[in-house]
């Protein structure tokens, strides 16, 4: 179940898989998928199940089916490291996905831009659309509202009896919203919101303001 929010008079939808959809532009924003991370860890002996390799592509198919966007923008760290076998899976996914795909590069995106261009995927250091800045690292720039990732934000909720729960979240401040990591095999960083921040936690198949 998605959650509608409005930023500077524009309508956006937050998806429980971690994507953000700009309704007017039919633009889907996704951050920190970290494709290839499973194979990267398996290469160095980590006992990660092989079936985890395909999970990210299943989730990508699900969110694309829900929104049917004209354009998909990955806000950095699409791939975790250098080329490995998951690149072939990405090639197949791009070929069957009807939306235009672009990448705003992150610190993990070290694969040569030529490889992406062969798939008609353009790479940018950042994008400015209307009054919105699309970038990987959090950055508040005068006159712009920022969409970004990198942090893998999460929030801790506390209950009675020393109960606590850590949930991935969309973390919104006055001029910025940080998207949660989309990738299945990623960690999180616990945020400490101030009274002026807004936190939208992902709880099972829903997004809720906490």
């Amino acid at each position: 179940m998605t959650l509608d929010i409005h930023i500077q008079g524009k309508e956006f939808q937050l998806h429980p898989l971690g994507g953000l959809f700009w309704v007017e532009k039919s633009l889907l924003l996704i951050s920190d998928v970290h494709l290839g991370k499973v194979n990267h860890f398996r290469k160095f002996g980590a006992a990660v199940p092989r079936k985890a390799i395909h999970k990210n592509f299943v989730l990508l198919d699900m969110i694309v089916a829900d929104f049917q966007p004209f354009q998909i923008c990955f806000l950095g760290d699409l791939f975790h490291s250098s080329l490995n076998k998951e690149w072939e899976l990405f090639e197949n996914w791009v070929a069957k996905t009807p939306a235009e795909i672009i990448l705003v590069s992150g610190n993990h995106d070290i694969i040569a831009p030529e490889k992406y261009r062969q798939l008609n995927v353009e790479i940018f250091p950042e994008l400015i659309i209307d009054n919105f800045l699309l970038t990987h690292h959090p950055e508040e720039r005068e006159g712009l509202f920022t969409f970004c990732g990198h942090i893998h934000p999460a929030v801790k909720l506390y209950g009675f009896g020393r109960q606590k729960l850590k949930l991935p979240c969309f973390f919104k401040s006055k001029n910025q919203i940080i998207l949660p990591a989309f990738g299945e095999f990623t960690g999180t960083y616990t945020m400490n919101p101030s009274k002026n921040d807004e936190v939208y936690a992902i709880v099972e198949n829903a997004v809720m303001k906490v």
Side-chain angles (χ1 to χ4, degrees), residues 4 9 17 20 62 65 69 78 95 103 107 154 163 179 195 201:
D4 294 345
L17 289 178
L20 184 150
M62 289 172 61
L78 175 55
L103 169 62
N107 51 294
Q163 294 173 327
L179 275 64
K195 64 179 181 179

Side-chain angles (χ1 to χ4, degrees), residues 20-193:
L20 184 150
F21 185 62
W22 186 347
V23 176
E24 178 188 25
K25 301 291 186 182
S26 190
L27 170 61
L28 175 60
L29 303 179
I30 296 172
S31 190
D32 298 277
V33 186
H34 287 273
L35 295 174
K37 190 171 185 177
V38 173
N39 264 320
H40 178 79
F41 276 79
R42 285 177 60 88
K43 179 181 177 181
F44 292 98
V48 184
R50 188 177 296 275
K51 65 180 181 181
I53 295 172
H54 297 275
K55 186 65 179 292
N56 283 326
F57 294 100
V58 172
L59 298 179
L60 285 169
D61 284 341
M62 289 172 61
I63 196 169
V64 169
D66 283 348
F67 289 124
Q68 300 184 33
F70 293 159
Q71 192 174 57
I72 301 168
C73 177
F74 290 101
L75 295 176
D77 290 0
L78 175 55
F79 270 81
H80 182 71
S81 187
S82 55
L83 283 173
N84 59 33
K85 293 180 180 179
E86 286 185 54
W87 180 260
E88 295 179 9
L89 297 176
F90 179 66
E91 287 181 322
N92 293 334
W93 182 80
V94 170
K96 73 175 186 178
T97 301
E100 178 188 4
I101 299 170
I102 57 179
L103 169 62
V104 172
S105 59
N107 51 294
H108 279 272
D109 292 307
I110 62 173
I111 295 174
E114 290 76 16
K115 295 291 293 183
Y116 287 100
R117 294 192 184 106
Q118 290 171 8
L119 305 180
N120 293 318
V121 176
E122 289 295 321
I123 302 181
F124 302 90
E126 65 179 36
L127 285 171
I128 296 176
I129 303 175
D130 296 345
N131 294 322
F132 296 95
L133 170 65
L134 279 55
T135 186
H136 178 62
H137 293 88
E139 174 189 351
E140 296 200 24
R141 193 179 301 177
E142 186 176 355
L144 298 172
F145 186 94
T146 301
F147 294 100
C148 59
H150 183 62
I151 300 294
H152 303 194
V155 62
K156 280 187 179 179
L157 303 180
Y158 297 90
F160 297 107
R162 297 183 180 179
Q163 294 173 327
K164 61 182 178 180
L165 187 63
K166 186 177 181 181
L167 300 169
C169 68
F170 298 85
F171 190 86
K172 182 179 179 295
S173 55
K174 181 180 178 181
N175 295 310
Q176 177 174 263
I177 187 166
I178 306 172
L179 275 64
F182 189 90
E184 275 288 286
F185 194 58
T186 58
T188 57
Y189 176 78
T190 302
M191 308 293 285
N192 294 308

Side-chain angles (χ1 to χ4, degrees), residues 3 157 167 199-203 206-210:
L3 179 68
L157 303 180
L167 300 169
V199 177
Y200 301 91
I202 297 174
V203 185
V207 181
M208 59 181 295
K209 188 175 182 180
V210 297

